[in-house]
Amino acid sequence: MRQFSRRTQHTLQQHEDSSQQEVILNEENTRELQQELNDGNEERPLAIENIVKPGKFGVTNSQMIPAIKQTIMDGSVEKLRMLRSMYLYSFENSLRYLKKSEREFIQNNLK
């Protein structure tokens, strides 16, 4: 096993703690948003977990871009709203890598 300095160990522990906390918050947000969206209509539940799977460093562009593209292809504005509200930073930074038509779809339907 590799030995790290105390400072590095502390930094790694902080990163691990914040990642775990983010995952917990995202799970709570998912449940709340799904409940809010399902209160008005009894359609199939929106499952963001099936679209975006957080990796080692959370949700990055490599997970967000395909998720956004798939959601746009499905035409699901509700899922786009959920992605944006749950992963705002990754969502906004991923927009630049989408096609112009995809960016326009998001701009017309979300903002």
Side-chain angles (χ1 to χ4, degrees), residues 28-89:
E28 290 175 12
N29 289 343
T30 301
R31 284 189 217 108
E32 289 175 12
L33 289 170
Q34 285 178 347
Q35 183 64 33
E36 288 175 16
L37 291 171
N38 287 335
D39 283 344
N41 52 3
E42 293 299 322
E43 296 177 4
R44 63 183 177 92
L46 300 174
I48 294 300
E49 303 86 33
N50 297 337
I51 299 173
V52 177
K53 303 218 185 307
K56 184 177 181 180
F57 299 106
V59 175
T60 60
N61 287 349
S62 61
Q63 289 107 357
M64 187 57 72
I65 294 168
I68 293 172
K69 288 181 179 247
Q70 181 62 43
T71 306
I72 290 172
M73 286 176 51
D74 295 343
S76 177
V77 177
E78 295 85 19
K79 285 185 182 179
L80 278 175
R81 284 193 179 110
M82 284 183 74
L83 284 173
R84 186 168 188 253
S85 66
M86 290 175 58
Y87 306 108
L88 180 64
Y89 182 80

